[in-house]
């Protein structure tokens, strides 16, 4: 999934599971868990953590509710390489889409 607005493209890993539990569909809103991650700085948003925060803000501006977000954590690239470490997290969002 990517979000593109005014020439900005932010990639977000999307993990969606259809669950018949009542908590998955409250008042017509579906819950989605998003895997977040990045390891590059951007000229527009800054650090990888700031990129992830910007992506969540763009989702909110698009009518997606950001219900919860884990703390961000750092992880080494796999396989081991000379690229920067990643910043990762998970967000629970809700959408009527």
């Amino acid at each position: 999934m990517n979000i593109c607005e005014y020439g900005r493209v932010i990639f977000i890993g999307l993990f969606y599971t259809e669950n018949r539990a009542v908590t998955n569909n409250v008042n017509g809103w579906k819950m989605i868990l998003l895997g977040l991650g990045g390891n590059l700085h951007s000229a527009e948003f800054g650090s990888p953590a700031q990129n992830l925060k910007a992506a969540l803000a763009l989702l909110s501006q698009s009518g997606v509710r950001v219900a919860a977000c884990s703390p961000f954590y750092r992880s080494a690239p796999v396989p081991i390489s000379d690229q920067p470490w990643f910043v990762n997290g998970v967000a629970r969002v809700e959408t009527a889409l």
Side-chain angles (χ1 to χ4, degrees):
M1 171 184 201
N2 69 59
I3 298 174
C4 184
E5 180 179 286
Y6 308 112
R8 296 182 291 204
V9 178
I10 298 173
F11 292 95
I12 302 172
L14 176 62
F15 301 94
Y16 174 73
T17 181
E18 183 65 37
N19 185 340
R20 301 289 179 211
V22 175
T23 57
N24 190 45
N25 189 347
V26 178
N27 297 325
W29 288 78
K30 298 276 187 178
M31 180 191 68
I32 300 171
L33 298 175
L34 298 177
L36 308 172
N39 69 338
L40 300 176
H41 285 71
S42 74
E44 185 170 2
F45 300 115
S47 72
Q50 291 168 319
N51 286 328
L52 299 182
K53 289 176 185 177
L56 293 171
L58 287 172
L59 282 170
S60 292
Q61 293 170 13
S62 300
V64 175
R65 293 184 208 167
V66 178
C69 187
S70 72
F72 294 147
Y73 62 94
R74 293 183 59 212
S75 62
V78 176
I80 296 172
S81 69
D82 62 351
Q83 65 178 307
W85 278 49
F86 283 81
V87 174
N88 301 96
V90 176
R92 181 171 56 94
V93 300
E94 298 167 343
T95 180
L97 300 175

